Amino acid sequence: MECNAVFRTERAWIEVSAENLHHNVRVLQEAMPAGCELMAVVKCEAYGHGLRQVAEELKIAGVRAFAVATIEEGIKLREYGIQGEILILGYTDVRRAPELKQYDLIQTLIDFCYAKELNEQGVGVKVHIKIDTGMHRLGIPYHASSDVEQVFAMKHIKVYGMFTHLCCPDSRLLEDVAFTKEQIGNFYQLVDALKKNGIAIPKLHIQSSYGFLNYPDLHCDYARMGIALYGVLSSAKEDTVLSLPLRPVLSLKSKIVLIRNVSKGSSVGYGRAFTPERDSRIAILPIGYGDGFPRGLSETGASVRIKGHVAPVIGRICMDQLAVDITDAADAAVGDIATLIDGKTPELISAPSVAERFGSISNELLCRMGARLPVVVI
């Protein structure tokens, strides 16, 4: 039997387009009102794109404000040489206040009691106050202005910002638009109350990606850019008020490591889930749900691209491997690259289209990536 050597060293990898990332930064910044700064949301390994790789490119692009979910992510950014502001959007144990100060991180105040406990640590900590305007997740209620005023008076709390999060800025349904505008109104109602009581208002931010794309005329000090920064929308079928020429940043690739000839009527993979109706050529790719390519894509019509051919994913996706039918790709061979996600064929393998096939959104799909796959910046 003749064996084909495989020369590429990686079994599967993520490609990050530095050019597209820089392009998206420019496009978003140019669309922002004067005085508004882009805050790059790089939590969850920069939405699966690779925290270090993305942060370093954003630094080159001139971005100076970042948002993460955890203190660990913030510390990593400092260790990677990232300067500027780093806001932790989620919970941090108050006993870690010395680390917040050591690494010059900004902590979100998730409610009033948390603010008091953080202040009691006796460590000067920079914070942004989260305001609950109707999402009822994190934050001090917008109508509790006396609590917010007390935060500004706390000895060891240094307030650098105040923000809220919108529940449904992606929706254009009339009732959702009305609710979003109510949230925005609630936030500014609090801001006005604080002003009347002599509180110096810190930097403000309301918009995440969809908040900006659907409510672009809001005047804030920051716009928190997550999924839009990476050049895709959450869903393939969404329209936004502001349409920008964003470019997808991530491609997910693997390679053919084995080709099987499978007879008509035979079965392939776990549960004998695929039975070819003709004699077939089956390619094995060394990538699976352990790499973030969801098992839920099994038997949903998911496809990959190999040498310009569209090859359907067949059978059940395994933790470390999957199979595709290359019967109609006669020139496909061991070592050929298979693209599982990119932005060149939106009807098939863009992140929103792939996510839709397993009933999710691009955000979740992309955040699954990066746990064990190498990231290559191109």
Side-chain angles (χ1 to χ4, degrees):
M1 178 184 297
E2 182 180 351
C3 297
N4 293 312
V6 178
F7 296 104
R8 296 184 181 277
T9 59
E10 302 294 352
R11 61 179 183 86
W13 62 97
I14 291 167
E15 283 185 0
V16 167
S17 170
E19 179 181 352
N20 287 0
L21 182 61
H22 286 253
H23 166 85
N24 293 342
V25 169
R26 289 193 301 272
V27 166
L28 290 166
Q29 288 175 330
E30 289 170 0
M32 291 177 183
C36 184
E37 183 178 356
L38 187 152
M39 179 181 285
V41 183
V42 293
K43 61 185 179 178
C44 196
E45 282 296 312
Y47 285 56
H49 292 62
L51 178 60
R52 181 169 197 159
Q53 293 86 346
V54 166
E56 289 177 348
E57 290 299 328
L58 291 173
K59 179 180 177 181
I60 294 170
V63 174
R64 293 295 178 265
F66 298 83
V68 296
T70 69
I71 187 172
E72 288 80 12
E73 291 174 336
I75 291 172
K76 282 183 181 179
L77 286 180
R78 291 298 188 216
E79 291 175 342
Y80 297 154
I82 300 302
Q83 300 175 350
E85 301 175 0
I86 300 175
L87 172 63
I88 300 171
L89 295 170
Y91 168 81
T92 301
D93 192 306
V94 296
R95 293 170 293 184
R96 302 188 73 176
E99 291 174 88
L100 293 171
K101 183 175 182 179
Q102 176 186 353
Y103 291 98
D104 192 24
L105 304 175
I106 303 171
Q107 176 58 45
T108 290
L109 298 183
I110 62 172
D111 73 354
F112 182 60
C113 290
Y114 179 86
K116 290 194 295 183
E117 291 173 3
L118 186 60
N119 184 58
E120 289 168 0
Q121 303 306 304
V123 179
V125 176
K126 295 179 180 179
V127 305
H128 281 201
I129 305 173
K130 180 72 173 286
I131 304 300
D132 179 8
T133 56
M135 190 166 185
H136 302 317
R137 195 173 62 174
L138 303 180
I140 300 174
Y142 72 94
H143 49 75
S145 58
S146 62
D147 287 348
V148 178
E149 288 180 30
Q150 289 183 62
V151 172
F152 279 91
M154 290 179 179
K155 180 179 180 180
H156 302 292
I157 297 295
K158 303 174 183 178
V159 180
Y160 279 72
M162 190 165 67
F163 72 104
T164 193
H165 192 64
L166 303 175
C167 301
C168 47
D170 56 323
S171 174
R172 302 306 298 154
L173 295 175
L174 291 179
E175 57 267 34
D176 290 335
V177 171
F179 189 86
T180 299
K181 290 181 177 179
E182 181 180 341
Q183 279 194 271
I184 295 168
N186 290 341
F187 185 75
Y188 284 112
Q189 175 184 320
L190 172 62
V191 171
D192 290 341
L194 295 174
K195 286 180 179 178
K196 288 178 181 178
N197 289 334
I199 301 295
I201 303 303
K203 291 186 176 181
L204 304 177
H205 47 113
I206 297 175
Q207 301 144 300
S208 57
S209 291
Y210 279 98
F212 177 70
L213 294 174
N214 280 327
Y215 302 87
D217 295 329
L218 288 179
H219 286 270
C220 296
D221 296 288
Y222 298 107
R224 304 183 304 269
M225 292 300 172
I227 196 67
L229 182 63
Y230 305 105
V232 296
L233 295 179
S234 296
S235 170
K237 299 178 180 178
E238 289 176 324
D239 292 319
T240 54
V241 170
L242 187 62
S243 180
L244 298 177
L246 301 173
R247 299 174 184 171
V249 173
L250 178 145
S251 294
L252 177 64
K253 298 187 177 183
S254 186
K255 63 184 177 184
I256 298 175
V257 294
L258 191 64
I259 294 176
R260 294 287 195 191
N261 293 313
V262 179
S263 301
K264 174 182 177 180
S266 300
S267 59
V268 177
Y270 282 124
R272 304 175 63 204
F274 175 76
T275 301
E277 297 179 354
R278 59 178 177 171
D279 292 343
S280 302
R281 293 177 77 226
I282 306 302
I284 306 301
L285 308 182
I287 185 172
Y289 63 78
D291 302 295
F293 198 71
R295 188 175 184 273
L297 290 170
S298 302
E299 304 170 78
T300 64
S303 303
V304 306
R305 191 177 66 244
I306 301 171
K307 281 189 169 179
H309 302 285
V310 175
V313 175
I314 59 170
R316 294 181 185 169
I317 295 170
C318 309
M319 184 181 293
D320 315 304
Q321 301 166 61
L322 59 82
V324 297
D325 187 343
I326 57 168
T327 307
D328 295 326
D331 56 341
V334 169
D336 284 346
I337 294 174
T339 302
L340 292 82
I341 297 174
D342 79 351
K344 297 178 181 178
T345 53
E347 73 282 4
L348 290 172
I349 58 173
S350 70
S353 296
V354 173
E356 187 176 39
R357 289 190 179 277
F358 75 104
S360 189
I361 58 176
S362 302
N363 311 51
E364 181 191 358
L365 174 67
L366 295 174
C367 286
R368 289 169 175 259
M369 313 292 171
R372 67 181 185 183
L373 292 177
V375 175
V376 179
V377 179
I378 60 171

